[in-house]
Amino acid sequence: IARAMATNPTLIFLDEPAAGMNPMETDALMRTIRRIRDLKVTVVLIEHDMKLVMNICDTITVLNYGKKIAQGTPAEIRNNPSVIEAYLGKEEA
């Protein structure tokens, strides 16, 4: 991240930056990403850590097997039936 920021970007892509991190390290990463965002740098985050995603993203796009199934705010995504079904399963009748 530091190497990328040294180039004064307007856009930065982060692919699974929290992979392998413990909760304390993830919290530090979250603060770092917020600081980057505060510098008016657009951050595109690809991440499976939902706590991280839900706490720093303004807009979330959810893919399921490469197909976009939802896009919106964290609250909209959290309550989206398609997202719930794709990631938690569907109740049987």
Side-chain angles (χ1 to χ4, degrees):
I1 293 174
R3 191 176 313 144
M5 290 303 296
T7 66
N8 296 314
T10 57
L11 171 71
I12 186 170
F13 280 82
L14 300 175
D15 186 8
E16 298 284 346
M21 290 186 169
N22 66 42
M24 287 177 38
E25 292 166 335
T26 300
D27 286 344
L29 174 65
M30 196 177 317
R31 289 189 301 275
T32 299
I33 294 170
R34 282 189 183 124
R35 280 190 302 242
I36 293 168
R37 185 181 62 191
D38 291 346
L39 294 170
K40 306 297 183 207
V41 175
T42 300
V43 179
V44 177
L45 177 68
I46 301 162
E47 184 59 66
H48 286 92
D49 183 327
M50 288 300 99
K51 178 184 174 210
L52 176 64
V53 171
M54 293 295 185
N55 282 295
I56 65 169
C57 293
D58 298 320
T59 303
I60 299 169
T61 301
V62 180
L63 303 177
N64 188 28
Y65 294 105
K67 180 181 174 190
K68 182 171 100 172
I69 61 170
Q71 185 170 5
T73 66
E76 291 168 335
I77 296 301
R78 186 179 288 115
N79 297 309
N80 183 295
S82 296
V83 174
I84 293 168
E85 180 180 340
Y87 287 89
L88 298 177
K90 186 176 182 180
E91 280 190 38
E92 292 187 31

